[in-house]
Amino acid sequence: MHRQAVDNDASEVERIAAAYARAAGGDTWAALVQAVADALTDLAEAERRSLRRDQLISRGYVRGAVLDTSERA
């Protein structure tokens, strides 16, 4: 009965949890461990992208300051 409710009226979180549980063959501990591992991997990737974006923005400001200074001279 619960499985049917999850399939029909589930929130996104419940659908994701059910998918992890199915992938783990019903082993809820393995499903939890995999979900946390995936979340940490995604977080690390997001942090890497954020740092890279910040570096590019900083480099752009430095280049912009050099160009602005030379144009005034």
Side-chain angles (χ1 to χ4, degrees), residues 15 19 23 28 47-48 63-64 69:
R15 287 190 303 272
T28 55
E47 288 176 349
R48 186 194 67 76
R63 286 182 182 162
T69 303

Side-chain angles (χ1 to χ4, degrees), residues 2-71:
H2 179 68
R3 178 175 292 280
Q4 190 174 24
V6 169
D7 291 339
N8 293 333
D9 299 320
S11 70
E12 183 177 10
V13 171
E14 290 170 322
R15 287 190 303 272
I16 292 168
Y20 273 98
R22 279 191 305 273
D27 182 343
T28 55
W29 179 253
L32 176 62
V33 169
Q34 187 60 54
V36 171
D38 288 349
L40 290 174
T41 298
D42 289 347
L43 179 60
E45 177 63 17
E47 288 176 349
R48 186 194 67 76
R49 287 182 183 193
S50 179
L51 288 172
R52 179 68 178 142
R53 184 191 66 236
D54 291 348
Q55 291 170 344
L56 292 172
I57 291 170
S58 294
R59 189 174 300 144
Y61 282 126
V62 169
R63 286 182 182 162
V66 172
L67 290 176
D68 290 342
T69 303
S70 65
E71 289 176 8

